[in-house]
Structure formats: C-alpha cells, structure tokens
Amino acid sequence: MKLAITGKGGVGKTTLSALLAQVFADQGYKVLAVDADPSPCLAGALGFPEDIKSKLSPISEMDTLIEERTGAKPGTVGGFFTLNPKVDDIPERFSAEYRNVRLLEMGSVDIGGSGCICPESAMLKTLFTHLLFRNDEVLLLDMYAGVEHLGRATVDFVDAMLIVVEPTKRSLGTASQIKKLANDIGLSKLWLVGNKIRNDDEADFIRNESPGIEVLGYLPADMRVQEADRLGVPVYDMSPALKNEAARIAGSLLNPVND
C-alpha cells in the first residue's frame, strides 16, 4: 500500500502520517515513512529519540551526494547533468528506524518555478519514482499542499491520497485545489480526513462542504498532540482516541486493497 498524505499547512497531516505509520508497524507491516515536507517534522511526531533523529538529513540538502550522483553542483541551473541518477541505495543508507518505522527525509528544492530543471530536482524526482516502485508493504508520503512529487508516470502506484482538513472554509478550499491538481495528473483515489474535530457540528461541516471527496474519518481535537510534541514522545502513545481512530482509518484503507 502506498499512501500520500497532504493538506493545507498546519492541518495535522504529519500527525496523521505518524499515527498511521505506527498503526501499520504495530500490525506487523514493513513501513517506510517519507517526510517530503519542506520543513521535516515527522521524526518528532513519531517520537524518534535525539540520537536516532540526528542521523537524519534531508536528501535535498546533501550537496556532495547530489553532485556525486548527478555530476553537477546543487544550485546550478542548466548545463549538463544526469537526469536519472542512481538512487536505489538511498532509502536504506540515509534513513533511520525507530519502533519498526523506517523514516527518510526528502526535503525540497528551494528554487522558484514548478518547471525547475536542476540537480536537486532531478535527484528528488528520481528518488520519489524509485520509492513508488519499491516493494515496501506500506509506503507513507507526508507531503505538503500539492502534488509536485507525483506525476503521470507514477500516479497509478499510489493507492490513495488522504487530504487532511480542519473544519474551516480555507482548509476545504485548499482540499479543492489539491483535488484539481490530482485529477489533472489522473489521480482520482482521494479521501478527506477531518482533524481537530470538537463536536458533531464540525464533522457535519466537513462532510457538507466537502469538494466532492468522501470523508474517510475524523480525528478528534486533543491537546495531548501539543503535549506529545513538548515532551518529545510519540503522539500515538499520548492519545488513545487518536490512536483508535487512526487504526479504524487504516482498516478502511486495507480492506479494499485486500479485497
């Protein structure tokens, strides 16, 4: 199963990614979680201890590795470099593991323009495609609000895109934009996951204002998410309600695949 998790900044996509990763790992699945957010924080949500977290570094910031694999220095635009560099060893070499969840940080390319052609983008694009072709039992992609890492050549390998939303019009507006971008590349397997839900009215708001996307589940508002972050422990351990709902969402995702 390959899942992409996205949504407006701050809605809780990293929280959902961490919850699902640990749910699947505890069920015995081989899990690779990929932090593709420009500001990686999935390690913290998973409760990675500092000594393990310190081994992680975003691939996009590994200048020496990028130059070695592409033949060009990061930051350069134009010129000649390898568009399909060797990446098959990267997930194992540059990831870290804690509680049976393996984590890889992708990082981002900080150069304007979606059509950027540079060594960093070539590296990330090739790595992302490689990840979608791997045989990991569960691949979780914690993405930012967009589908930049996905393309028509890889979209068929994504089992679902989960769009995390809050009960706000702006959050649902972003979901509508993501839906359009996803549909433009042929990705139609989309679900909403409501987060920070305090009551039935807020759940109803998401369901009624959804941009034509089925709601897969609702994560309740829980101050223990902030407490987990402050203490540096997994959010999975702090909130039984979030853990149980994440397990229910995981079950809903697994059943259609297994059928």
Side-chain angles (χ1 to χ4, degrees):
M1 172 172 285
K2 294 173 173 62
L3 303 172
I5 300 173
T6 185
K8 184 178 179 294
V11 295
K13 55 187 180 294
T14 296
T15 297
L16 178 61
S17 298
L19 288 167
L20 289 177
Q22 200 61 62
V23 164
F24 285 121
D26 283 1
Q27 291 179 0
Y29 290 94
K30 178 182 177 183
V31 177
L32 175 61
V34 178
D35 195 337
D37 194 284
S39 301
C41 53
L42 184 52
L46 285 164
F48 272 50
E50 287 301 325
D51 61 328
I52 299 179
K53 195 190 303 185
S54 64
K55 299 175 183 177
L56 291 165
S57 182
I59 302 301
S60 65
E61 298 176 11
M62 296 184 179
D63 292 355
T64 301
L65 176 69
I66 293 171
E67 183 175 5
E68 171 194 316
R69 298 297 173 89
T70 66
K73 290 184 178 181
T76 60
V77 178
F80 293 96
F81 56 86
T82 301
L83 292 174
N84 188 28
K86 173 181 168 61
V87 296
D88 60 313
D89 60 326
I90 287 177
E92 275 66 43
R93 283 186 60 190
F94 299 103
S95 61
E97 186 173 351
Y98 179 61
R99 289 172 47 159
N100 297 319
V101 176
R102 183 167 290 280
L103 176 62
L104 178 69
E105 292 183 350
M106 294 273 283
S108 64
V109 179
D110 191 20
I111 296 179
S114 60
C116 166
I117 299 177
C118 56
E120 302 98 308
S121 67
M123 188 77 165
L124 290 189
K125 193 170 185 180
T126 303
L127 176 56
F128 204 84
T129 300
H130 170 73
L131 291 171
L132 288 170
F133 277 91
R134 280 167 58 101
N135 291 322
D136 298 283
E137 290 182 333
V138 176
L139 173 68
L140 281 164
L141 306 165
D142 181 11
M143 305 170 67
Y144 47 98
V147 295
E148 286 82 356
H149 287 312
L150 296 175
R152 295 182 187 276
T154 58
V155 72
D156 288 343
F157 293 89
V158 178
D159 292 297
M161 176 177 278
L162 307 184
I163 306 173
V164 185
V165 295
E166 297 173 320
T168 65
K169 286 187 178 294
R170 283 186 295 175
S171 175
L172 287 161
T174 299
S176 180
Q177 294 170 355
I178 294 171
K179 177 186 177 183
K180 182 182 183 306
L181 292 170
N183 290 166
D184 284 348
I185 61 171
L187 178 58
S188 59
K189 295 168 280 191
L190 310 175
W191 281 270
L192 288 185
V193 174
N195 189 31
K196 306 177 187 178
I197 307 302
R198 296 174 296 181
N199 50 53
D200 290 343
D201 287 343
E202 292 187 342
D204 290 342
F205 176 81
I206 289 175
R207 184 167 50 252
N208 295 333
E209 298 295 325
S210 166
I213 307 173
E214 183 180 348
V215 183
L216 191 62
Y218 299 94
L219 297 172
D222 194 331
M223 290 301 295
R224 282 171 288 193
V225 173
Q226 288 90 332
E227 186 178 359
D229 183 69
R230 179 172 56 83
L231 297 175
V233 298
V235 63
Y236 182 84
D237 294 349
M238 291 291 289
S239 174
L242 290 176
K243 175 181 175 179
N244 291 338
E245 180 62 5
R248 193 196 65 76
I249 291 171
S252 297
L253 290 165
L254 281 171
N255 287 333
V257 173
N258 288 337
D259 290 341

